[in-house]
Amino acid sequence: MDQKILSLAAEKTADGLQEFLQILKDDDLTDLLQNQAVRGKTAGALLKAIFKGLPYSEEAGALKRLKIYSCCIQLLESGDLQKEVASEITGLLMLEVHRFPGQLLVELANEFVSAINEGKLTNGKSLELLPIILTALGTKKENLTYGKGELSGEECKKQLINTLCSVRWDHQYVIQLTSMFKAVPLTTEEVEFVVEKVLKVFSKLNLQEIPPLVYQLLVLSSKGSRKRVLVGIIAFFNKLDQQHNEEQSGDEYLDLVTVPLDELRHVEGTIILHIVFAIKLDFELGRELLRHLKATQQGDFSSICPFSIALLLSVTRIQRFEEQVFDFLKSSVIKNFKDLQLLQGSKYLQSLFPNECCISTMILEVVNNSVHSWDHVTQGLVEFGFILMDSYGPKKILDGKTAETSSGLSRMPNQHACKLGANILLETFKIHEMIRQEILEQVLNRVVTRASSPINHFLDLLSDIIKYSPLVLQSCSSKVIETFDYLSFLPVQTVQGLLKAVQPLLKVSMSIRDSLILVLRKAMFASQLDARKSAVAGFLLLLKNFKVLGSLSSSQCSQSIGVSQVHVDIHSPYNSVANETFCLEIMDSLKRCLGQQADVRLMLYEGFYDVLRRNSQLVNSVMQTLLSQLKQFYEPEPDVLPPLKLEACILTQGDQVFLQEPLDYLLCCIQHCLAWYKSRVVPLQQEEEEEEEGFYQYLDDMLESITNRMIKSELEDFELDKSADFSQSTGIGIKNNICASLVMGICEVLIEYNFFISNFSKTKFETILSLFMCYKKLSDILNEKSGKGKTKMASRPTNSFLSMKFVSDLLTALFRDSTQSHEESLSVLRSSNEFMRYAVNVALQKVQQLKETGHVSGPDGQNPEKVFQNLCDITRVLLWRYTSIPTSVEESGKREKGKNISLMCLEGIQKILGAVQQLYQPKCHQFLKALDATDKEEEEEEVSVSERAAFQIRQFQRSLLNLLSSQEEDFKSKEALLLATVLTSLSKLLKPISAEFVQMLSWTSKICTENSCEDASFCKGMLSLLFNLHVSCKSPVGLLRDLSQDIHGHLGDIDEDVEVEKTNNFALVNLKTAAPTVCLLVLSKAEKVLEEVDWLITKLKGQANQKVIPEEASSQAALTNRPMEKSTIIQLGTLLTFFHELVQTALPSGSCVDTLLKDLCKMYTTLTALVKYYLQVYQPSTGIPKNMEKLVKLSGSHLTPLCYSFISYVQNKHSRSLKCTREKEKTAAGPTAMARALRETRPIPNLIFAIEQYEKFLIHLSKRSKVNLMKHIKLSTSRDFKIKGNILDVVLRQEEDENEEGTASEHEGQNKEPAKKKRKKEMKCLS
């Protein structure tokens, strides 16, 4: 039969074939075809012949064709055919599709849909035909029967695709089905159907099946729905990551059910590569990705997740998107840090947003994930890390100082961003070996090329990198050695930071160390002073870190050395004996510095103490060097006064006078080294020979002799009496200033030395007092000569030479030492109030220095642990002194001039609390524990920070209550302000939910409510404390409203005829404090609340933008956002009542009026933003909330009309001040008053514009919502025009010519008409 069909098909006409096929039954034909296909014999030719003999024109032939077609599809799906046969049949079937009538195509397509739905597909080969069938169907123009109705071919295709996307897809055919749609012409709506279906299937697939499916989906996205594809992929992997993190943090046994992390990360990496490849081919996909992520940036960063960040960093490899992506990531990071900062400062916002996302955590998660072969992400990470460090690192400010804070400070967003950049680079360095050299090179390049800018952040990063793996970095030694060549050209601070960072490398690499020594030796003889100072700094660092065998172990090392470095150091062949030779060579080099400028010598003297402390075997060499230097300026004869050759310390070159030898620093260095030697080395050497002790005995004798002769010396011996010239304009004056400074420094050094050796001897203490009197006389003369008039203790610009440890010991001895045997000797020092004031003042100076620079001068000043311990000891003494002898007690018994010591102690406590919270935040608990003297007995009982802070707070509360209960003339303004500041600092340590916090809040409220005080600074301090406490637990809008009522009551109304009822909510607000103090304070706090509300509205808008299906999501979104909307409206409503009070208040001209006008402008801008939000989210089903309508009504009745009255009030005051100005034109006060008046009226046009914008958008919202929101608002009438006189004259003349009578009558009645008519005429003139 098959042969007959083939022979008939070979004839020229098809009539015979048609007749034969008509006779054959359908089943016979299909059986024949099946047999031939399975055998693989001439199946293709037979099929071709059958199609040739079945005409389309006849219905029977068309139905037989359909039957054959269905049979072929079943054959393909059976899997019984050979590959070549199946391909041939598929090709023939594809060619035949376009000849089928439309109705049969519908039936064929329905067969496919049924097969897919019922899971009848066995291998999916027939799916290649479906896109051809759908495409052919779409081209049919005639109406076709589909279901119960008739549709065009295109509509049938759409319905079929819709049906196909709504049935169940077997997971093994998902990729084929998705791929199939590539070949079908699809409308935008049809693409959406398909994309939604595929995205829903994601969760049902095996993880390994997703990358090929994503690839097909990305190819399909070229037809449309790019955004939906990207959003779906990002959301899916974000959800997977979250599930994995939850399971990791939850039950360990859940790990059995989870996808392995390694597999997940590899799949994510593959997906990212697919998307980047797709973006390279279709840039619109990249633009869509950025558009979508930028939209979510305004809301809650919902699409910003580790996966999307990794994707963006990979996209940076495409040049077209590189800059845009980095800019977006930068702005996202800084915005996120700003959001977190805003949240941190507001309990109100925290309650609305308890779990704000942290992008920095996500980025660091990407760094950790990149270990799973994400090489395409790594380069982007490195670039981004450097971009953050370059953009947000510390900046240079005008006076040359750095606008940065030390590591412990609470960082602002920029500093957080910079730190994030450093963390990215450090973590990437640890994980990826291939990228290490590039990171190191870039860091070193920046250190060298940006020397003029602050680069501490790069030095810190370099230090962290080297500490992590000094041995690994040996391979990069050439780059480090190359950097050393630039040392001579870098600032000293940079050199010190760089050498400190690379110090671990010096221990493991001899080549690096030798190169550095060569560079430093050259620098020692360079012509630039900075280069020589750098050489000294470098050599001192080497001496500190290369220990000679037998040196004492030092627990105070500030430079921590990792285990790997120590291991190498011990086993390296050139360690002990070689180190000694090496160190002695360096000492020889450093001795040459003693003939150089004062700055170089000073660096040496400041560094020797640390060298000895770290490398005790160098003691002989160091002490001999210092001794020989001192001998040059020492008078050996015991009778010669003064004992030191001050003339030799000063160099005169022509008219210029310089300090050649900083003798005070030399003596200070000797004193500290000697003290250290006696306390640490001598006890261990008691059995050694006498000669070992020779040099320190000799130095002791010299210092003793200097002390005795300094006491005997008069100021005339130094040529520094009152008659001497101290002006800075003459050579003699400069020389005398230098000499005075040296003598004062020497006195301080000797005071510390004598206290150290005194063993509480009365004679020694008398000596100390004599030295102090010498110091004080000079200090008084310098203060007097400098024209300050008032005597200020230790007001020299230089820092005190007393070490912080000594200050701590001295204060403890003066105020706390009650040992009987010490009583008599200490009475000598205690008898002098001036000396005690001096001791406290130096403590204040040290704390101030610590706050400004992060360290203090003197031994161990760079050691945070030691400094912290000294701070605790000093605070304990100052606290005891202040609480034991209150200022009032001290004042009553005081006969001499000078500062109150108790008050100075309080000032010290205030400064120290600030320094501890600034630099030692994590140690606050330890600090409070150190202050509590009774704690030692109750060590087993753990006391919380809040309880400890509350204990200290109670002491200061008592002091403040005593002060407030004193007579008005006895009220001490400064002490009250200091107490308020101390209480503010301590209150920050209370937990907002603790009982101690509640007690503090109620106590502060009571003080502000019941105590009337006319001191402005104290009032501001206490109200600021009250606001801080309020903000820590709730929104302060209620407090603002109450204070505004008080201000209105005390200052009166802008309408002089209205008498305002005084509310007296807070007694601290009175006529003297209400303006400008309290007024400016409440306005600044209101501004902060407005900023928070504005942020909240932006968040709401962002969340509204992210809704994908508005029809379904609108009601859901409304429910989700309703609490936030309600909260926002309540905040604005209360603020509105606050402004309602202030705009009626007769505020004095100046900053109050200016600030109020600006804040009103911000208020209306925020109200406009809220109206715009409701315009954006309005749905007829939800409408406008009733409380929003109330807010609009309140603004129309209680604020806008009063704003215009206030503007009139300000303008009237302005015109009166201008009138006064004209009267006083010749006086100096005229221009000042004019400038002030102009400044105050400048914000008025901005306010009017803001009001009009608000009303404009209210009208839009009214039209859209069909709710008349304007019924309570009277449209604005006030305007601020700049009238052009020449145009006005021309228009008026024209009007007079046209209608002279009308114009005349109008001008006569102008004075009686309301302002509105006048304004209309003006508008006509201007037009």
Side-chain angles (χ1 to χ4, degrees), residues 695-747:
F695 73 82
Y696 91 76
Q697 190 59 55
Y698 190 62
L699 278 170
D700 259 338
D701 294 342
M702 282 177 81
L703 288 172
E704 188 72 30
S705 173
I706 293 170
T707 303
N708 293 332
R709 287 189 276 165
M710 281 295 286
I711 295 166
K712 292 174 188 172
S713 300
E714 297 292 332
L715 290 183
E716 288 78 3
D717 296 327
F718 298 106
E719 299 178 5
L720 293 174
D721 56 354
K722 284 191 177 181
S723 59
D725 176 13
F726 286 97
S727 69
Q728 294 288 344
S729 54
T730 62
I732 297 292
I734 293 169
K735 180 185 170 185
N736 287 341
N737 269 299
I738 293 171
C739 282
S741 179
L742 286 174
V743 172
M744 289 169 74
I746 290 162
C747 286

Side-chain angles (χ1 to χ4, degrees), residues 1-9 17 20-21 32 46 49:
M1 193 190 292
D2 57 328
Q3 291 300 325
K4 188 171 183 181
I5 292 170
L6 289 170
S7 63
L8 286 169
L17 180 62
F20 181 71
L21 289 176
L32 175 66
L46 181 63

Side-chain angles (χ1 to χ4, degrees), residues 586-634:
I586 292 176
M587 280 301 299
D588 285 342
S589 298
L590 287 175
K591 283 176 187 173
R592 293 170 192 161
C593 297
L594 296 173
Q596 296 193 8
Q597 283 96 331
D599 283 355
V600 180
R601 300 183 193 190
L602 195 144
M603 277 196 79
L604 199 57
Y605 299 152
E606 286 184 328
F608 268 153
Y609 175 79
D610 270 344
V611 169
L612 280 196
R613 193 171 54 81
R614 301 280 295 274
N615 213 344
S616 60
Q617 284 297 304
L618 295 175
V619 68
N620 281 334
S621 181
V622 169
M623 296 304 267
Q624 291 294 349
T625 304
L626 293 171
L627 179 58
S628 61
Q629 186 70 2
L630 180 59
K631 281 181 178 176
Q632 295 177 37
F633 307 97
Y634 175 67

